[in-house]
Amino acid sequence: MDFDSSCENKRAANESMLICCMLFISEARNRAVLDLIERAARLDPESVIVNKFEDRVYNRIRFTIVSYVVVDSTGSPIYSPLHQTVLAMVEAAYGAINLELHSGAHPRLGVVDDIVFHPLARASLDEAAWLAKTVAADIGSRFQVPVFLYAAAHPTGRAPDTIRRELGYYTPNFMGNQWAGWTIPEILPGAPDEGPTHVSRTRGIVMIGARPWVALYNIPVVCTDVSTARQIARMVRARDGGLPTVQALALVHGDDSFEIACILLEPNQVGAERVQAEVEMLAAQEGLEVEKGYFTDFPPEMIVEKYMNLISSRRD
């Protein structure tokens, strides 16, 4: 590919084939560390942070980063600025965060806990999966961190919650309802998809996947009884006979409240209003107050719009 055609392809791709990366990092209390990671994301002006969601109780941040993907004459993906941007952010996180010193109300497997790629605009799931596997290979070899692939990035399409259950992700180990340090054996029971089988206690494990858009929706419940909150989550989630395509987890979120943290796998089929109503009904049966839930990110159409506006302003 010559220089002119490469530029033309990039320009066309920039307008129509976009990938969104959700990068979840186990830190939200140290502003200097968060700024360091965000500065790493700005090294390539063609990757744009369009949103971030941080929660000090969970001690967790999610960056939403968007850029384009380039394909060759056969339609195979060959390049995306997101590749090096994500690696730069991961490197900054590993250099600044020690998992053994981390604690929070949200479960996690590593300093860089989860990286998921979603196709936007005219990009396909295959292109998102290619990028996920490319990033995974580099993280495994460069940083010597075990990587577990999921959804479209894995040959069997295994679900992320399957990996998490196998690794004890959902079991609190600190003060009853929180997570602290590293408690999983340093030698993994099974081989990861990339990286070593030995786990660094300071960095942990990372999961990397590619899948269609999912919505993250949290519903606050005024409650002090963990068993009641967990029962509500069980009755909401599909795995235990609740709402189809809904995953839910009860997480402590203050002295007198929990959140029912939901993943809506098919938000156009089972959306936030239905989940909100279900939680309110179940909580009312226990005499509990429920607050209005909230999304932790923009819908995909708005993410594309924000990306286009931000990238245009940079060029101007």
Side-chain angles (χ1 to χ4, degrees), residues 108-109 167-169 181-189 199 201 205:
R108 71 288 184 280
L109 292 172
L167 294 175
Y169 174 89
W182 175 256
T183 58
I184 299 172
E186 292 182 34
I187 302 298
L188 294 170
V199 184
R201 298 175 65 90
I205 292 166

Side-chain angles (χ1 to χ4, degrees), residues 39-79:
R39 283 198 299 274
R42 297 190 185 122
L43 295 176
D44 189 330
E46 294 189 290
S47 294
V48 178
I49 294 177
V50 298
N51 194 23
K52 55 186 176 181
F53 176 76
E54 53 191 281
D55 191 302
R56 290 180 61 83
V57 176
Y58 291 159
N59 203 6
R60 182 176 176 88
I61 188 169
R62 187 216 58 241
F63 292 96
T64 303
I65 318 129
V66 177
S67 193
Y68 59 85
V69 59
V70 176
V71 298
D72 63 16
S73 58
T74 69
S76 299
I78 56 173
Y79 172 75

Side-chain angles (χ1 to χ4, degrees), residues 2 16 18 26 61 63 84 97 108 117 125 136 143 149 154 161 168 170 181-182 192 231 243 245 252 268 271 309 316:
D2 62 30
S16 61
L18 302 176
S26 301
I61 188 169
F63 292 96
Q84 293 303 323
I97 303 169
R108 71 288 184 280
F117 295 91
L125 190 56
F143 304 114
L149 296 172
H154 188 268
D161 55 318
Y170 297 107
W182 175 256
Q231 177 65 17
L243 297 175
T245 70
V252 65
N268 292 331
N309 289 339
D316 293 342

